[in-house]
Amino acid sequence: MFRVGIDLGGTNIAVGVVDENNKMLAKHSVPPLAARPWQQVATDMGDAVASASAKAGLSMADCLQIGVGAPGTCNSRTGVVSHAYNLGWDQVPICQFLQDRFHLPVKLSNDANCAALGEAVAGAAMGYQDVVLITLGTGIGSGIIIDGKIYAGMHSAGAELGHTLLVLDGEACTCGRRGCWEAYASATALIRQTRQAQSAHPESILCQTPPEQVNGRTAFDAAKAGDQAALAVVHTYARYLAAGLTNVVNALAPEMILLGGGICNQGEYLLSLLRDYVEKNCFGQKEGAIPEIRVAQLGNDAGILGAAAL
Ligand SMILES: [Zn+2]
């Protein structure tokens, strides 16, 4: 028997066939071509499920269930994607649609939640029950696993840790509030902080990069070369990130926090700064419930494996 996971992204519909040990047997992906009626996208999703199963040499008769990870707000109880702006989806009953085609149970969750579950069943957090995944990208994505299951709250609208407060009346956030963690610790925020340092420190080697080419690596590269202004950017950014992680530790005391996204390529250089801050600042300090802080392992496969495990 096998399960199918669908990761519905803005640039890719990725489908994976997974065995009982959460091993990926086959994958198939197609572009979503978002500016279409949702029924067409959903039909393509179904076709991709059939293609992935055929690639694995399996018949849908041996499939136990299908899981869908979708962007935006996804109501796991009703199986409806409430809003997914980048797909132009509003109140889409995706689970019912796929159930009608395959006559199998179809589960739904948000893509960030699926990625967290994927890491917990088959990635860096395998064997852990209480795990939080934080993805540092344009914004901050987050998924919370408690007792091995996704926690998302009423209408599956919770676990939006990026939109918890770091600074009252602080920087504007995409959600309309000011001072969210995301506005200080996302990759977008790091790029803003790097550009501000360029303006303030014309002597810095940061200024060798044109402002429009600054990315999440620029400040780290200059800091490793010993540039003082860049070191200040990196250390301040690490404190913003770690302050939010400390809030997560104090609220949930997970066994493990995983970090995903391009900034995590900095590896131990960044992680050691974060661990140091969390140890000194969490409730109980060194005697507190300090989680392991590691980099996520599965990349894009996390969403597929998590969807299959819903
Ligand atoms: Zn926000």
Side-chain angles (χ1 to χ4, degrees):
M1 299 302 276
F2 69 96
R3 288 169 282 120
V4 171
I6 306 175
D7 183 19
L8 175 60
T11 55
N12 224 3
I13 300 169
V15 176
V17 172
V18 173
D19 72 8
E20 56 270 24
N21 299 314
N22 295 304
K23 186 168 168 277
M24 189 92 77
L25 301 174
K27 278 199 281 188
H28 186 77
S29 54
V30 290
L33 306 171
R36 296 186 295 162
W38 70 262
Q39 290 89 347
Q40 289 182 20
V41 179
T43 300
D44 284 0
M45 289 166 72
D47 292 347
V49 168
S51 300
S53 315
K55 266 189 194 174
L58 295 162
S59 143
M60 287 307 289
D62 296 319
C63 183
L64 275 175
Q65 70 167 51
I66 297 171
V68 180
T73 311
C74 299
N75 191 320
S76 299
R77 196 175 53 79
T78 59
V80 171
V81 178
S82 316
H83 312 283
Y85 296 109
N86 58 351
L87 291 168
W89 282 22
D90 190 39
Q91 305 301 329
V92 169
I94 187 63
C95 289
Q96 190 61 54
F97 185 93
L98 292 172
Q99 258 160 26
D100 288 346
R101 173 160 174 183
F102 293 105
H103 310 290
L104 286 168
V106 181
K107 309 279 178 67
L108 171 71
S109 193
N110 161 291
D111 48 7
N113 297 336
C114 287
L117 185 60
E119 291 287 348
V121 297
M126 213 157 79
Y128 290 74
Q129 295 297 301
D130 300 324
V131 179
V132 174
L133 171 68
I134 303 291
T135 306
L136 307 167
T138 313
I140 289 186
S142 51
I144 300 173
I145 306 299
I146 295 178
D147 289 337
K149 292 189 185 125
I150 290 171
Y151 178 83
M154 184 169 68
H155 304 323
S156 313
E160 291 291 349
L161 297 172
H163 302 286
T164 55
L165 195 85
L166 203 64
V167 179
L168 189 63
D169 297 327
E171 296 282 348
C173 182
T174 53
C175 72
R177 196 184 186 195
R178 300 194 77 91
C180 290
W181 185 28
E182 169 172 309
Y184 289 85
S186 62
T188 310
L190 173 59
I191 290 167
R192 186 189 69 236
Q193 292 152 12
T194 306
R195 287 181 182 147
Q196 285 167 347
Q198 288 181 319
S199 305
H201 298 279
E203 78 290 355
S204 162
I205 62 170
L206 286 173
C207 299
Q208 292 169 7
T209 306
E212 67 278 6
Q213 285 176 27
V214 168
N215 60 30
R217 276 184 49 191
T218 309
F220 281 98
D221 287 348
K224 286 173 190 163
D227 185 80
Q228 288 304 310
L231 274 166
V233 171
V234 164
H235 284 191
T236 303
Y237 172 77
R239 287 177 68 222
Y240 286 136
L241 179 54
L245 295 179
T246 306
N247 291 342
V248 173
V249 171
N250 288 354
L252 298 171
E255 297 168 280
M256 181 178 285
I257 295 180
L258 290 175
L259 299 174
I263 289 173
C264 299
N265 294 333
Q266 300 303 328
E268 283 303 312
Y269 181 84
L270 175 62
L271 292 183
S272 61
L273 293 172
L274 301 177
R275 290 189 190 111
D276 190 49
Y277 182 101
V278 171
E279 252 186 53
K280 286 184 177 133
N281 292 281
C282 75
F283 187 73
Q285 289 87 39
K286 264 188 157 50
E287 315 302 317
I290 296 167
E292 289 183 53
I293 302 176
R294 290 195 208 162
V295 174
Q297 262 177 6
L298 298 173
N300 294 332
D301 284 352
I304 300 174
L305 289 160
L310 285 171

